[in-house]
Amino acid sequence: MSSNRDIFSNFVSVLLLCVAKTLLFRTYRSTDFEVHRNWLAITHSLPVSKWYYEDTSEWTLDYPPFFAWFEWLMSQVAVLVDPRIVDVKNLNYASPLCVAFQRGSVIVTDLVLVYAVHQYCQWLRKKSKLLLLDSKISFLCILILCNFGLLVVDRILFALLLSLVTVCAIS
């Protein structure tokens, strides 16, 4: 059974991670930034039959349909934030609103990852049945969430995939 102290430290860790990501909003963009902006545009602007054939940008939609539909769902919100985000011909578009939306959506999907990692911690605790390991399990989960690669890459899909795999594995 996890203690209130462990829950608090995990909450603080997640909060600090979100703050760090927020502070990095304007500092850099990886190539994934334009990839996802283009995928938002493709899935919003084109019929499904053309999603995998659109080649205006070098960043064509090349992920499985689950992710394409996830991008479509996000595009329904993106168009409300800044309609130019979902223009297929608007290559390398990065207005302040576009950056904020995309970075914000990464943080939101990180919360899905947080849930999956939390479930994984609970599963590990039940399997280990040793209170001695409780702090080590919490530390492991914090390490997963604060992974430097997950901090600096604009990668929504990696967080979703890791979340799905984690939840499926422990179910």
Side-chain angles (χ1 to χ4, degrees), residues 1-10 117-142 170:
M1 184 66 109
S2 63
S3 70
N4 287 339
R5 184 172 156 230
D6 286 336
I7 292 170
F8 178 75
S9 67
N10 289 343
V117 170
H118 173 75
Q119 293 299 106
Y120 178 65
C121 285
Q122 299 294 28
W123 179 79
L124 275 177
R125 283 185 178 100
K126 288 177 187 171
K127 290 292 181 187
S128 71
K129 296 181 183 172
L130 295 174
L131 292 176
L132 179 64
L133 293 176
D134 206 43
S135 63
K136 291 179 182 179
I137 291 170
S138 292
F139 185 68
L140 171 68
C141 293
I142 290 168
I170 63 176

Side-chain angles (χ1 to χ4, degrees), residues 14-103:
V14 170
L15 184 62
L16 288 175
L17 182 64
C18 289
V19 167
K21 285 189 174 212
T22 303
L23 291 173
L24 293 172
F25 264 27
R26 303 186 75 166
T27 58
Y28 73 94
R29 280 193 306 275
S30 70
T31 54
D32 278 355
F33 183 87
E34 175 57 18
V35 169
H36 289 289
R37 194 226 46 90
N38 192 56
W39 290 359
L40 290 169
I42 289 170
T43 58
H44 184 81
S45 304
L46 300 173
V48 176
S49 63
K50 295 188 180 183
W51 283 4
Y52 288 93
Y53 302 102
E54 207 309 304
D55 63 356
T56 302
S57 166
E58 66 183 298
W59 309 115
T60 59
L61 184 57
D62 57 0
Y63 271 61
F66 170 81
F67 295 112
W69 284 107
F70 177 74
E71 291 286 343
W72 174 85
L73 184 64
M74 288 194 342
S75 77
Q76 303 307 301
V77 178
V79 72
L80 301 173
V81 172
D82 181 352
R84 294 179 293 176
I85 293 173
V86 296
D87 180 355
V88 175
K89 297 191 185 337
N90 205 2
L91 301 178
N92 297 310
Y93 181 67
S95 74
L97 279 175
C98 177
V99 172
F101 172 77
Q102 288 196 238
R103 291 294 169 88

